[in-house]
Each structure stands twice: as C-alpha cells, then as structure tokens.
Amino acid sequence: MSSSGRSLADPAVTQQVYPDGRVALSDPGVLDDSRFANADLAPVPIARRTWGTYNYLALWVGMAHCIPSWTLASGLVALGMDWKQAVLTIALANVIVLVPMLLTGHAGTKYGIPFPVFARASFGVRGANLPAMVRAAVACCWFGIQTWIGGEGIFLLAGKLFGHGWLHAGSIGGTPWTQWLSFGVFWLVEVAIITRGMETLRRVENWAAPLVIVGALVLLGVMTDKAGGFGPLLDQPSGLGWGSGFWKVFFPALMGMIGFWATLSLNIPDFTRFGGSQRAQLWGQALGLPTTMSLFAVLSVLVTSGSQAVYGAPIWDPIALSAKMSNTVGALFALLIVMVATLSVNIAANVVSPAYDLSHLLPRLVSFRTGALITGVVGILIMPWKLIANPHVYIYTWLGFVGGMLGTVAGVLVADYWIVRRTRLALGELYRSEGRYWYTGGWNPRAVAAFVIGGVLAVGGSYSTVVKGVKQGPFPVDGLIPFLKPLADYGWAVGLASALLVYTLLSLGRRRNQDG
C-alpha cells in the first residue's frame, strides 16, 4: 500500500500526468520485474522527450528517400499507368497509411513507450510478443535487402575509383569478392551507428535528410542538362485510361503501396516516444510522409524520363543510373547520395523495431543494443542476395501477404487504444504480471481471436500470378482459400477493418475504467 492508503494498482500512485497530456512514471518501483522491463523498454522520462517537428520531418525524409521508394513509380508505369496516375496512387496510399501512423504514434508520445510495450495493453503482457515477432521478422528481412543494396552502392562507388580490377575481381558464389567486402563494410557502418543509441540515430537522420533531397535535385539537374529536356515518358499516354481497366489495377496497386509502409505504421511509437509534444509528432509526420513520397515519385519519373532521352532506355535503378555517368565526380556524388539514403532508411525503419522486439522477448538478457546486433546477424542469414534475385516471390507477393497481417495488428491496436480505452492506460501495469493487462496467463484471448479472424480474411485468399505460363510466387493460383481470393488484393484494408470490428464487438460490455 502507498502512504495514501492506495495500492500500486492505482494509476494515480504510479504515474504523473503533465499539463500537456503526456504521462510519466512517478514510481519507478513498478519496473522491478526483469521479465517484463529493462532500461530500453521503460517509459522515456519527460526530460528526454525532446524530438521536435523537424526531427520527425527529417526522419520521414530519410526513410522515404530509398531505392525501393524511387522504383515504386516504375512498377506502376509498367502496369500501364501514366506518370500522373502513378504519382496519384502513391500520394493517396501515403495519405491513407498516415492515419494509423498518427493513431498509434499518439500512444508513444503520451506514455513514452515503444511498440511492443504499447501492444501489451491489447494483446497482454506476454501476448504482445506475437505481433512483435511478426513485425521483427519482416524488418529483419528488409534490413538484409537494404544492406545488400547499400553494399552494391559501395561496390560501384569503389569501382569508379579502382577500375576494372575491382568490378571484375574473383568470384565467390558467383559474386565478386569485392562486392561481398562492400556488403560487409556497409553492414558494419549500420551496426556501429545503431548500437550508439537513438540519439545518434536522430543526429544521422537530421543531416542525411537535406543531403538526400539536394542529391536527388542535383541528379535531376544533371539529367535535364544531358537530355536537353525530358524524354517522351511524360508524354506517354496511360495504357489503362480512366475506365474500368484503370480501377482494376488501381486498387491492388494502392494496397501494395500501403503495404510498403505497413510495418512503419506499427513501428512509429518507437520514435514518437521521444516526442516533445503531440503537435510535434503529428505535424512532423503529416508534413514528412505524404509530401516526401509524392515528391520522390515525381523526381524518379522525371529523372528516369531524362535517362531515356540520354541512354535510349529508361533506367529506374538510381545505382545503375549513377554508374553509367561518364563524369567520375558526378557518379561518385550520386552513388554517395544513394548510400546515405539507404543507410538512413535502413537503420530507422529496419533496425530500431526488431531491436525493441527482441529486447521485449527476453528483457533480462537482451538490451536494445543486443537486439540490434541480432537483427544484423539475421539480416545476413536470410541471404538477401537470393531474395532480391526473385522479386516476384519476395518483394511483390510476400509484401502483400505481410501487409495484410500487419494491417490486422494495427486494427487491434487502434480499436483497443482509441475505441475501448479512449487513450487511457495504466502505465505502470504494462510492466507487471498481476495487473489488468495480464488477462489470461499474460494473453488477451479477444486480441488473439481478432488477429486470427482478421488475418484469415486478409491473407487467406493470397494467390500467385501466372506470367507466360509460369506461376510467379509461392501461393496457389486460385488462392490459399479460393473463396477469399477476391479479398487478397485489399489485404491491408481488410485486415485492419475486420480486426478492428471483431475486437470492438468482443469488447462490448466489458467494463473499462477511465485509466485503462
């Protein structure tokens, strides 16, 4: 019992609410159970919540300006869209995915907690490991892929300096040993930065963001000068028109674009927990994500159009485009920008989240730094060079599958935090086994049921396409569950909406006090 005669179960004893609505622990004694707490998972003290609007804006500029983002528009143009339709699709997708990001990000800023601890309120203190491990698996795979891309940038950058001998060195497993070395160097740089903590990450993102923007604009200027204007791509009419043919492609493409950032819609409390105010994270994200992705899509189309005029064929890969430049200084600068862009997005998007998730799995043994190192090792073990070799299996088919599952998790979180609890949590009890978030053995059956039902509806119809008589992907052509196949193209939206609805209905009549 506290000196006031109230137990530690009373949130008023263990937490302090500040005038701006943010909440912090007033009694650190609630973090005495090492099974569920360590220094990295504990709520960020108010004094350390210093990120402002620019920090979040820079974070999104750094994360959005990566090679996969650059090539998103090319995929849509390849489907038959013109550049205006492609940019419209990308812009709309990012406005849509911004909504769950702001909703889940609110909890991070208000309570100073990372995603896996936030998930305890809905899934249970132990059950939160379910969505955390799903998220970690996705991020580890993306980390490996982006690291391989960054290593390729170093490989080509060094090739401009050392010439033919470097680019055509002896092979190991069909790849020059110099490229393996470049991959290792890029991996070491990433690990060195993230193991120094979130404050170092914030500083890296702050300077990387404007550098990447300047680099993209310089590349645009170079291509415009070489082309004497832009090539015919901007004048190419849509192969789909604006009729039924367009809409059949538009909605699946829209879900794919949303799936691209589906992981980040869950990751965001890992960053907003350092927010100085709700206004800072709200404006930083709203100004950073949709505008940056749309601008980047336009830049990619314009630069690629210029490459078509200069080289006779459109080159969507900025690494390949940079390597073709005859001016060594210009090529080195372009490749440097590509590496910085890849570094900034990979650390922020694909190392921070699994580091917290792995720490959450075993708080007593795994710190944030150890989790980051494990992520780095897994990123090598999944052999990203093989994943990239078959994009139909991994990037396209699997991305839609993962987007559906992560949308389901987002639906549960939003329903619990905003509809059931009205943003009120008992902060201290998120770290204890006897509190209200323990449910049944640490698991909330309602959240698990909503996750399973939403997941089946979202991804049960997953299917593989057939190109020239060859199945592209691991799923049956008719879908895992054939009658659910029509839902597969809308996996993220189906997962989010169905999980939100199921969890809300299962929670009706459950008595919730105003403190969580």
Side-chain angles (χ1 to χ4, degrees):
M1 300 289 288
S2 70
S3 59
S4 62
R6 293 179 294 182
S7 71
L8 284 175
D10 185 348
V13 176
T14 60
Q15 66 189 38
Q16 180 179 356
V17 181
Y18 287 78
D20 63 0
R22 290 181 298 166
V23 179
L25 285 178
S26 55
D27 182 2
V30 299
L31 302 179
D32 58 357
D33 192 336
S34 60
R35 295 175 300 166
F36 309 119
N38 62 26
D40 298 304
L41 297 176
V44 177
I46 290 292
R48 287 178 49 211
R49 300 186 201 179
T50 57
W51 288 33
T53 299
Y54 176 75
N55 298 127
Y56 290 108
L57 177 62
L59 177 73
W60 274 114
V61 171
M63 288 196 293
H65 287 173
C66 60
I67 292 174
S69 296
W70 183 273
T71 56
L72 282 179
S74 66
L76 298 181
V77 171
L79 290 174
M81 294 186 184
D82 62 22
W83 73 272
K84 296 183 291 296
Q85 291 171 330
V87 172
L88 171 65
T89 303
I90 292 172
L92 181 58
N94 284 280
V95 170
I96 292 172
V97 82
L98 178 66
V99 175
M101 283 186 179
L102 294 178
L103 293 177
T104 55
H106 184 278
T109 299
K110 183 172 182 178
Y111 295 100
I113 52 178
F115 163 79
V117 175
F118 172 43
R120 292 176 179 179
S122 52
F123 281 87
V125 175
R126 283 179 173 163
N129 283 313
L130 172 61
M133 288 301 100
V134 171
R135 187 183 76 150
V138 176
C140 286
C141 289
W142 274 116
F143 171 78
I145 287 176
Q146 292 275 19
T147 302
W148 184 257
I149 291 172
E152 185 182 6
I154 291 182
F155 174 67
L156 293 174
L157 181 69
K160 284 290 183 181
L161 296 175
F162 304 132
H164 184 272
W166 175 272
L167 294 174
H168 298 87
S171 295
I172 300 176
T175 300
W177 69 263
T178 48
Q179 187 164 355
W180 290 113
L181 176 63
S182 301
F183 173 63
V185 169
F186 196 78
W187 183 90
L188 287 172
V189 171
E190 292 177 313
V191 171
I193 292 174
I194 196 60
T195 52
R196 294 180 64 86
M198 291 294 288
E199 186 59 25
T200 299
L201 171 66
R202 182 179 70 87
R203 290 197 293 268
V204 169
E205 295 295 337
N206 281 352
W207 66 260
L211 181 62
V212 170
I213 292 177
V214 170
L217 292 174
V218 169
L219 186 59
L220 175 63
V222 170
M223 295 310 300
T224 304
D225 180 64
K226 283 180 172 291
F230 293 111
L233 191 60
L234 295 182
D235 298 324
Q236 179 179 327
S238 171
L240 303 172
W242 288 96
S244 60
F246 169 73
W247 297 109
K248 287 179 181 178
V249 173
F250 170 76
F251 286 108
L254 183 68
M255 291 300 108
M257 298 302 102
I258 291 173
F260 185 78
W261 289 122
T263 307
L264 265 297
S265 66
L266 301 180
N267 290 10
I268 205 63
D270 297 339
F271 302 100
T272 58
R273 66 190 302 226
F274 299 96
S277 66
Q278 293 290 358
R279 179 184 177 87
Q281 70 96 4
L282 189 152
W283 279 107
Q285 292 199 79
L287 293 174
L289 175 58
T291 55
T292 298
M293 284 295 292
S294 301
L295 173 63
F296 214 47
V298 172
L299 285 175
S300 71
V301 170
L302 294 178
V303 170
T304 304
S305 174
S307 73
Q308 179 165 316
V310 174
Y311 300 110
I315 302 173
W316 289 97
D317 184 345
I319 290 180
L321 180 61
S322 302
K324 286 183 72 67
M325 290 186 180
S326 57
N327 184 304
T328 301
V329 175
L332 291 176
F333 175 76
L335 287 169
L336 176 64
I337 294 300
V338 168
M339 288 166 50
V340 170
T342 304
L343 180 72
S344 64
V345 68
N346 209 24
I347 292 176
N350 301 320
V351 180
V352 172
S353 60
Y356 278 126
D357 294 334
L358 292 166
S359 179
H360 183 269
L361 187 64
L362 292 168
R364 186 181 301 169
L365 301 176
V366 180
S367 65
F368 176 85
R369 180 174 298 177
T370 304
L373 291 172
I374 294 173
T375 300
V377 172
V378 173
I380 296 175
L381 295 178
I382 53 99
M383 295 185 287
W385 49 92
K386 290 191 175 181
L387 294 178
I388 288 180
N390 194 342
H392 282 289
V393 173
Y394 184 74
I395 301 296
Y396 301 113
T397 303
W398 194 71
L399 186 61
F401 183 88
V402 166
M405 295 304 298
L406 296 179
T408 302
V409 173
V412 173
L413 297 181
V414 171
D416 182 79
Y417 183 68
W418 286 95
I419 299 175
V420 176
R421 303 186 190 281
R422 307 296 176 86
T423 77
R424 297 185 180 94
L425 300 177
L427 183 57
E429 293 192 42
L430 291 169
Y431 298 88
R432 305 187 70 85
S433 61
E434 69 273 15
R436 70 195 73 190
Y437 308 117
W438 188 247
Y439 299 107
T440 303
W443 290 75
N444 181 2
R446 289 176 287 121
V448 174
F451 175 79
V452 171
I453 294 171
V456 170
L457 292 174
V459 305
S462 296
Y463 65 94
S464 297
T465 56
V466 176
V467 178
K468 297 181 179 179
V470 179
K471 182 165 73 76
Q472 304 291 325
F475 303 117
V477 174
D478 294 329
L480 291 171
I481 304 175
F483 76 89
L484 292 178
K485 182 179 178 180
L487 299 180
D489 290 336
Y490 312 94
W492 182 85
V494 170
L496 188 147
S498 58
L500 186 149
L501 180 61
V502 170
Y503 187 86
T504 301
L505 291 175
L506 291 176
S507 300
L508 289 177
R510 299 268 178 177
R511 184 171 179 269
R512 299 284 181 204
N513 65 38
Q514 65 176 2
D515 299 308

